Amino acid sequence: MGGGPTYQLSISGDGTVRYEGHLGVFIKGKHTGHISNAAVHQLIEEFRRARFFELHSYGSAATDLPVCITGFQVGTLRKQIVDYGPTTRVGTKVSRSTNE
């Protein structure tokens, strides 16, 4: 089976955005940008409203499903969620919290 898009995206507390596109993406390679402090604070609040630190990682014996790894760190609190399947819980939870 063909693979889905492969990329990494990170946003630092100072608003630095780092993207690296690998396979199946429109933009390949390393790119850096910046978002405002207000956008950083809004993103942090969205993760809190989604109760990110309360979510559990999925485990799966099926290796051909898409995987999404989402990490979030605020101060010393750090969590990583591994999600398998065609849609991810983390993206859905954060997406829902932004629309409430």
Side-chain angles (χ1 to χ4, degrees):
M1 295 192 125
T6 305
Y7 63 92
Q8 293 176 311
L9 178 72
S10 68
I11 303 171
S12 300
D14 67 357
T16 301
V17 178
R18 291 182 181 86
Y19 168 86
E20 187 170 351
H22 302 284
L23 300 170
V25 294
F26 291 111
I27 300 172
K28 293 184 179 180
K30 294 181 180 183
H31 302 275
T32 303
H34 194 269
I35 61 173
S36 69
N37 285 338
V40 171
H41 291 290
Q42 180 181 0
L43 186 58
I44 291 169
E45 184 56 32
E46 290 168 7
F47 272 87
R48 286 186 176 150
R49 279 195 308 229
R51 299 173 138 181
F52 183 80
F53 288 107
E54 297 174 27
L55 295 175
H56 299 283
S57 283
Y58 278 128
S60 175
T63 58
D64 62 342
L65 292 173
V67 64
C68 177
I69 302 170
T70 305
F72 182 60
Q73 180 174 345
V74 176
T76 59
L77 285 175
R78 182 179 186 171
K79 180 145 182 128
Q80 181 173 301
I81 299 291
V82 178
D83 226 347
Y84 293 90
T87 59
T88 64
R89 291 178 308 133
V90 173
T92 302
K93 291 261 301 175
V94 171
S95 182
R96 282 187 190 148
S97 76
T98 61
N99 292 324
E100 292 176 351

